[in-house]
């Protein structure tokens, strides 16, 4: 039953909660984030705290992050910026709180972006399939025989055969 499963889930939730932003932000800032999480005035809204804090981190470092052209460089910059010991935890928590993100807004954002993401994924798959078909056609024109490559990841419930003994 759900009630019987609650005890192990509570333990897993605690382990997850204790790692929130640990290793991402300076330890003093992480403690401020955890204090904020546990002191959310409306206890029906603690699920929005991690996203609010993440958005606040991005907002605090918006200018240097938008100055880079490459996603990898942006990630490096974000890592460098969040590991600075002079990171202002109080300013971060105030900004996260001022966002006033609610669980209803979060659900609406998830629905909206899930739909957009599904469209983007479908478009990318169609583009990739068309590109693969075009490459296959070019190889055929060059006289190469098309080959198909099936990986074990593409085959559901694939089990590698056991080596035969005595062969």
């Amino acid at each position: 039953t759900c009630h019987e499963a609650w005890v192990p889930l509570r333990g897993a939730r605690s382990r997850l909660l204790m790692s929130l932003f640990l290793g991402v932000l300076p330890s003093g800032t992480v403690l401020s984030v955890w204090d904020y999480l546990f002191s959310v005035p409306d206890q029906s809204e603690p699920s929005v705290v991690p996203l609010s804090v993440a958005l606040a981190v991005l907002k605090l470092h918006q200018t240097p992050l938008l100055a880079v052209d490459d996603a990898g460089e942006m990630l490096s910059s974000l890592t460098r910026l969040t590991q600075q010991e002079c990171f202002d935890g109080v300013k971060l928590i105030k900004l996260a709180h001022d966002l006033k993100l609610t669980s209803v807004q979060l659900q609406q954002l998830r629905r909206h972006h899930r739909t957009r993401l599904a469209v983007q994924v479908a478009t990318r798959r169609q583009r990739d399939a068309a590109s693969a078909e075009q490459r296959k056609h070019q190889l055929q024109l060059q006289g190469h025989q098309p080959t198909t490559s099936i990986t074990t990841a593409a085959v559901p419930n694939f089990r590698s055969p056991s080596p035969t003994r005595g062969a």
Side-chain angles (χ1 to χ4, degrees):
T1 67
C2 291
H3 183 67
E4 291 168 353
W6 177 252
V7 174
L9 290 176
R10 187 180 313 158
R13 185 187 64 201
S14 295
R15 284 189 303 275
L16 175 65
L17 180 63
M18 294 307 290
S19 69
L20 281 175
F21 299 100
L22 192 59
V24 176
L25 299 173
S27 56
T29 306
V30 170
L31 294 175
S32 296
V33 169
W34 291 351
D35 284 344
Y36 177 55
L37 178 66
F38 292 122
S39 66
V40 176
D42 180 3
Q43 286 301 315
S44 66
E45 298 293 330
S47 64
V48 300
V49 170
L51 181 59
S52 295
V53 171
L55 290 172
V57 167
L58 294 174
K59 184 72 174 165
L60 279 176
H61 300 296
Q62 177 176 329
T63 302
L65 291 174
L66 292 176
V68 297
D69 298 329
D70 176 78
E73 189 178 340
M74 183 181 288
L75 219 63
S76 295
S77 295
L78 183 60
T79 301
R80 188 179 58 257
L81 291 166
T82 57
Q83 287 298 311
Q84 296 174 353
E85 285 303 319
C86 61
F87 198 91
D88 190 346
V90 174
K91 187 176 181 180
L92 175 69
I93 299 306
K94 181 177 179 349
L95 184 55
H97 179 73
D98 290 347
L99 289 173
K100 302 205 183 305
L101 188 62
T102 67
S103 57
V104 171
Q105 289 172 311
L106 185 56
Q107 289 172 358
Q108 290 170 343
L109 287 168
R110 282 179 179 154
R111 274 194 301 274
H112 172 73
H113 290 288
R114 189 175 292 138
T115 302
R116 289 183 59 202
L117 183 60
V119 169
Q120 289 175 355
V121 167
T123 302
R124 184 175 295 142
R125 284 183 180 158
Q126 289 173 346
R127 187 177 58 234
D128 290 349
S131 178
E133 191 61 38
Q134 186 177 27
R135 280 192 306 272
K136 180 179 163 185
H137 181 67
Q138 287 174 345
L139 287 172
Q140 286 175 340
L141 289 176
Q142 294 172 358
H144 293 45
Q145 290 298 323
T147 59
T148 57
S149 171
I150 299 177
T151 63
T152 57
V155 180
N157 300 320
F158 177 83
R159 293 184 188 194
S160 181
S162 301
T164 56
R165 295 186 183 179

